[in-house]
């Protein structure tokens, strides 16, 4: 008899929007881990959540450019990237991250999830984030974790939005906590 796979979805930043929706009504997903990530209610956008509390300086760091399909894409300006996104990594790693960043569409930041019930409402969730996140303020991340009934929240002192790069052990511990809970 084969053991059922343990499916734990992990999302960083906007990826939290994705896992929230992907887990909704999906019995295969057993837990969620939000890594400096949005955990929205229906109708809440990343833009709305990041502005709900003071502390985000992302808007002033973004460059917008039109895309052929309509609307805009945004990226963090290269000269602002290190401070804005990953102040707690060395300059060389920050420069590589800036050069290889994936832009985000305007629609991704302004649309909320379509699911009528967020995945975190029915799935156990864990949160890990940096106390010095300049993209999604720590107060917003705390709010979302509490609202979701987080089974474990790690707020890492001094850590930036790029917590997976700067504090991989804290991120791995949150994921392992979720897997351990599911496996019982």
């Amino acid at each position: 008899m084969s053991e059922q796979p343990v499916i734990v979805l992990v999302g960083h930043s906007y990826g939290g929007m994705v896992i929230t929706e992907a887990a909704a009504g999906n019995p295969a997903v057993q837990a969620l881990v939000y890594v400096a990530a949005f955990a929205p209610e229906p109708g809440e956008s990343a833009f709305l959540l990041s502005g709900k509390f003071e502390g985000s300086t992302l808007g002033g760091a973004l460059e917008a450019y039109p895309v052929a399909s309509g609307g805009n894409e945004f990226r963090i300006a290269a000269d602002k990237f290190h401070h804005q996104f990953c102040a707690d990594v060395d300059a060389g790693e920050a420069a590589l991250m800036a050069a290889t960043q994936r832009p985000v569409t305007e629609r991704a930041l302004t649309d909320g999830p379509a699911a009528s019930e967020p995945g975190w409402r029915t799935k156990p969730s864990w949160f890990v984030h940096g106390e010095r996140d300049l993209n999604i303020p720590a107060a917003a991340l705390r709010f979302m974790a509490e609202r979701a009934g987080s089974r474990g929240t790690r707020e890492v002192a001094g850590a930036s939005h790029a917590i997976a790069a700067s504090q991989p052990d804290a991120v791995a511990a949150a994921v392992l906590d979720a897997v351990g809970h599911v496996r019982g």
Side-chain angles (χ1 to χ4, degrees), residues 1 35 82:
M1 197 164 173
V35 180
H82 191 184

Side-chain angles (χ1 to χ4, degrees), residues 2 6 8-9 15 18 22 25 28 31 34 36 44 50 55 59 66 69 73 82 124 128 141 153-154 160 169 180:
S2 67
V6 173
V8 175
L9 298 181
V18 175
Y34 292 87
E44 286 181 332
S50 65
S69 59
E73 282 191 334
H82 191 184
V128 58
L141 292 159
T153 302
R154 287 177 170 81
S160 70
D169 291 345

Side-chain angles (χ1 to χ4, degrees), residues 83-105:
H83 174 75
Q84 179 64 43
F85 192 82
C86 56
D88 56 342
V89 303
D90 69 54
E93 186 173 4
L96 178 61
M97 291 169 83
T100 59
Q101 70 178 294
R102 171 72 176 97
V104 63
T105 65

Side-chain angles (χ1 to χ4, degrees), residues 4 11 48 63 65 109 114 116 126 129 155 170 179-180:
Q4 288 293 97
L48 182 134
E63 297 176 328
Y65 50 91
L109 296 177
S116 62
W126 282 258
H129 68 271
E155 183 172 324
V179 170

Side-chain angles (χ1 to χ4, degrees), residues 8-183:
V8 175
L9 298 181
V10 181
H12 172 256
S13 196
Y14 171 77
M17 307 286 282
V18 175
I19 69 170
T20 295
E21 185 140 4
N26 186 339
V29 176
Q30 296 149 348
L32 302 168
V33 181
Y34 292 87
V35 180
F38 295 106
E41 282 275 11
E44 286 181 332
S45 68
F47 180 73
L48 182 134
L49 286 167
S50 65
K52 190 172 185 73
F53 297 89
E54 290 185 20
S56 176
T57 56
L58 182 59
L62 292 176
E63 297 176 328
Y65 50 91
V67 291
S69 59
N72 292 307
E73 282 191 334
F74 297 99
R75 65 186 309 272
I76 299 173
D79 63 333
K80 296 177 180 174
F81 191 90
H82 191 184
H83 174 75
Q84 179 64 43
F85 192 82
C86 56
D88 56 342
V89 303
D90 69 54
E93 186 173 4
L96 178 61
M97 291 169 83
T100 59
Q101 70 178 294
R102 171 72 176 97
V104 63
T105 65
E106 184 173 24
R107 186 173 173 194
L109 296 177
T110 58
D111 284 357
S116 62
E117 183 173 59
W120 52 259
R121 189 158 290 138
T122 59
K123 312 288 181 186
S125 59
W126 282 258
F127 288 73
V128 58
H129 68 271
E131 165 263 336
R132 305 253 323 149
D133 191 322
L134 297 178
N135 288 6
I136 309 170
L141 292 159
R142 284 185 219 114
F143 164 78
M144 289 181 278
E146 185 176 319
R147 177 175 71 180
S150 176
R151 302 286 177 101
T153 302
R154 287 177 170 81
E155 183 172 324
V156 181
S160 70
H161 190 64
I163 191 167
S166 68
Q167 301 290 325
D169 291 345
V171 174
V175 173
L176 291 172
D177 283 352
V179 170
H181 173 81
V182 170
R183 289 214 164 168

